[in-house]
Amino acid sequence: MTATTKPAVVVKPPAAWAHPHLLQLRGHSPAELRTVLRLARDFGRVLDKDTAIGSLEELPTSDLPGRLASCRGKVVANLFFEDSTRTRVSFSVAARRLGAEVIDLTSVGSSVSKGETVGDTAANIAAMGVDAIVVRHRSSGSAHLIARTLDGDAAVSSLPGASARTLPGARGHRCTVINAGDGRHEHPTQGLLDILTLAESFGRLDAFDLSGLTFAIVGDIASSRVARSDIAGMTALGARVICVGPPALAPQHLTSLGCEVSHDLDAVLPSLDAINVLRIQFERHEVKQPASTTENAPKAASSNVIASVREYSELFGINARRVANMRPNAIIMHPGPINRGVELTADVADSQRSMVLRQVTHGVAVRMAVLQLCLAAR
Ligand code: CP
């Protein structure tokens, strides 16, 4: 490729990012969030041009942050102890686009099935010289626990969870830990890609100032790590955030996170710029499913949180009638996986307003930025 045909790639050196791990969005300053988002925006522009991977590798090293020009030669381990389609594949694509090698580990087929703790598993992976661990686990705080296990208290002294211990062999090699979703706590890269999608839709990609925008999260907020990351990130950047759902799914105490709470979707719809629709996470409701339970609707019959799926859909489902009450330029988001016909009708999920696949595209750029910055900060 000649100099004249090369894509105009400009990845500006970001402001300081001093964190080797990304465990949550809450507590990060607006400046730090903007650092990640600006780098993700720039990576996204490269990806949107359908630029060959080789072109990414040609990015001028002097323009990239820290001591790492890319992740070439680095090894990223995906430790997914819960199911995932988008996040796991997205981290793999992101790491590979930065030149890293990727290892995939799940509880099935690993020694976790023999009773090994997640901390021991992570310590053993890190002891092999792996550079980054991307972890998803059903327990809130598991990513923090792994970071503390690998680093000791010093690196994450303000974090909740069990007291730190450092396993022999885990020191001397700093391994990045990235939270890919821990229980009901946070899913920070999902929060970042949601912000990137909102900012793009409303022309806020330069300053990432979301003031004046109203963002609603609708559905099972009580069970949602996505909601907690969205609330933390969006409010830090100036957005008004409203959590909407029945009281059991959108409890009043969520206001302590800096958002508002409403139980009347139709009342708030006309004021919204964006709506993020969440799946009802029956698997996190504390009722065992009957043996006859099938994949979708019958689960609700055994939930002590939702009286019936049909009633939920009537009161809080997003359908064409409700979309007609939204602002003309309002957008609809969903982190996936979608239960079509429950929280979102198929026609709305596939409509022009739907940003669902754009969110997924942004996920790669966000994860490239997070990997780049955290690895550079080790
Ligand atoms: N949004 C999200 O976390 O999707 P996956 O569960 O498929 O990773």
Side-chain angles (χ1 to χ4, degrees), residues 80 83-88 136 180 187 190 225-226 335-337:
F80 276 63
D83 292 345
S84 170
T85 297
R86 282 145 289 272
T87 311
R88 185 163 62 174
R136 170 171 288 192
H187 189 351
Q190 180 72 43
R225 53 201 178 204
V226 173

Side-chain angles (χ1 to χ4, degrees), residues 43 56 59-62 64-72 98 372:
F43 278 135
L56 275 179
L59 287 169
T61 57
S62 59
L64 292 173
R67 64 185 171 81
L68 290 174
S70 76
C71 298
R72 257 195 305 261
L98 290 171
Q372 173 80 60

Side-chain angles (χ1 to χ4, degrees), residues 113-124:
S113 66
K114 302 175 192 170
E116 186 172 65
T117 67
V118 68
D120 282 344
T121 300
N124 278 269

Side-chain angles (χ1 to χ4, degrees), residues 122-176:
N124 278 269
I125 298 287
M128 295 175 203
V130 163
D131 298 283
I133 289 175
V134 178
V135 62
R136 170 171 288 192
H137 196 278
R138 69 175 186 282
S139 298
S140 302
S142 51
H144 291 106
L145 186 63
I146 289 173
R148 293 177 74 152
T149 300
L150 301 187
D151 287 356
D153 269 332
V156 279
S157 56
S158 64
L159 302 173
S163 59
R165 65 199 173 103
T166 301
L167 299 179
R171 280 196 186 277
H173 171 79
R174 193 95 189 257
C175 182
T176 280

Side-chain angles (χ1 to χ4, degrees), residues 245-277:
L249 301 186
Q252 201 61 34
H253 65 72
L254 288 168
T255 55
S256 66
L257 300 176
C259 60
E260 299 167 39
V261 169
S262 170
H263 308 307
D264 187 346
L265 176 61
D266 291 310
V268 303
L269 275 178
S271 66
L272 304 179
D273 297 293
I275 191 166
N276 198 16
V277 189

